[in-house]
Amino acid sequence: MLGGSPAFVALRDKAVTGTIGFAFLISALIGKPLLYPIARATMARESAESLARFEAMRGSDELHRTVMTMTWVWGLGLVGEVTLSVLLYRLLPLGAYLGVGPLVGYGSIGALALWTLLYRRRRQGIVMAPLGEQRPE
């Protein structure tokens, strides 16, 4: 139950990553981005003011577009990471894959997190302008 074939053992964590990635993509396809509640929770952790600004933008095209973009990027990034990991598993000897695989996973998550930080900073002036201020055109 805890073991399995070398492929299963080497790639079992990728099943979770792939499932989350596909869930993000499906949620984006149906127009209900899964990153919306995550973004809302992030704003709530930052401050009551951040949450109030976020809630004031609820339903706006700018916020929807931003959260949809983030959901697509994360979904594609996670599915891409799984795809790359499976390819590397098939192409490399098991020992080499076990050394490289985690680097691919951590590197992918790091790149997605960095992209999110930079994208959020860029969009924040448009989407999350302080209440009462005009957003830049």
Side-chain angles (χ1 to χ4, degrees):
M1 209 167 150
L2 297 175
S5 71
F8 176 76
V9 173
L11 297 172
R12 69 178 158 212
D13 295 340
K14 302 306 172 193
V16 174
T17 302
T19 300
I20 293 169
F22 279 117
F24 283 166
L25 295 175
I26 291 167
S27 75
L29 280 173
I30 64 172
K32 304 283 185 190
L34 280 176
L35 279 181
Y36 180 84
I38 296 169
R40 187 185 182 287
T42 299
M43 294 298 135
R45 277 192 309 272
E46 286 179 358
S47 70
E49 182 183 322
S50 292
L51 180 59
R53 285 195 315 259
F54 188 83
E55 287 298 326
M57 293 295 296
R58 188 178 197 145
S60 74
D61 289 341
E62 292 95 357
L63 181 61
H64 184 74
R65 189 171 24 258
T66 297
V67 175
M68 284 290 285
T69 298
M70 293 174 82
T71 302
W72 277 110
V73 168
W74 272 88
L76 292 170
L78 293 174
V79 170
E81 189 262 320
V82 170
T83 302
L84 179 58
S85 292
V86 170
L87 287 172
L88 289 172
Y89 173 80
R90 303 281 292 165
L91 296 173
L92 298 174
L94 181 58
Y97 172 76
L98 292 175
V100 172
L103 298 176
V104 170
Y106 296 137
S108 298
I109 296 299
L112 286 167
L114 178 61
W115 175 86
T116 300
L117 177 70
L118 296 174
Y119 183 72
R120 180 179 174 211
R121 282 185 183 168
R122 188 174 132 234
R123 295 293 297 168
Q124 204 156 18
I126 297 167
V127 175
M128 299 295 292
L131 292 174
E133 286 186 21
Q134 183 130 21
R135 291 185 303 274
E137 297 292 324

